[in-house]
């Protein structure tokens, strides 16, 4: 997978590929995007990770993360499923 960069610096990923990563149809994924349910963040690598970026997309309890090299090619990716928070019963 290759991640493009827009002229304004935004990262552009293929919606069909990302929908597949989340186990959704393209139409379902686009509905989530229109509702604002998909959030993203980018972290820039420093020191030992200089030249890399970590792109994260979150939808509900699922987070897709990709490590991009200096040419914006995905070098590693993973999907994480967040568990439900543990609540201690009152004594």
């Amino acid at each position: 997978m290759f991640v493009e960069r827009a002229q304004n610096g935004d990262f552009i990923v293929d919606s069909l590929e990302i929908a597949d990563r989340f186990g959704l149809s393209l139409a379902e994924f686009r509905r989530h995007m229109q509702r604002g349910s998909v959030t993203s963040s980018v972290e820039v690598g420093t020191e030992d990770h200089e030249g890399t970026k970590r792109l994260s997309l979150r939808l509900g309890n699922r987070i897709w993360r990709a490590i991009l090299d200096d040419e914006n090619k995905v070098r590693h990716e993973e999907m994480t499923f967040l568990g439900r928070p543990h609540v201690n019963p009152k004594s």
Side-chain angles (χ1 to χ4, degrees):
M1 176 191 291
F2 179 76
V3 177
E4 295 181 50
R5 292 292 296 267
Q7 285 189 345
N8 66 1
D10 286 350
F11 289 85
I12 302 169
V13 294
D14 184 281
S15 295
L16 185 57
E17 285 192 52
I18 295 301
D20 185 55
R21 301 299 197 280
F22 280 97
L24 301 170
S25 70
L26 181 56
E28 290 171 317
F29 183 72
R30 286 187 174 159
R31 276 195 297 276
H32 284 290
M33 288 188 62
Q34 289 169 346
R35 290 184 200 138
S37 303
V38 180
T39 59
S40 64
S41 66
V42 177
E43 299 167 87
V44 177
T46 59
E47 297 180 11
D48 291 343
H49 302 284
E50 188 81 33
T52 65
K53 293 165 245 22
R54 180 167 56 187
L55 177 60
S56 300
L57 297 175
R58 181 174 180 169
L59 174 60
N61 71 335
R62 297 170 280 185
I63 301 174
W64 174 80
R65 288 189 179 102
I67 304 298
L68 309 178
D69 64 14
D70 58 353
E71 295 176 357
N72 297 321
K73 291 181 185 173
V74 174
R75 295 300 176 191
H76 174 79
E77 65 180 278
E78 65 183 17
M79 178 65 76
T80 303
F81 295 86
L82 303 175
R84 297 175 73 170
H86 178 72
V87 177
N88 290 326
K90 290 186 177 184
S91 304

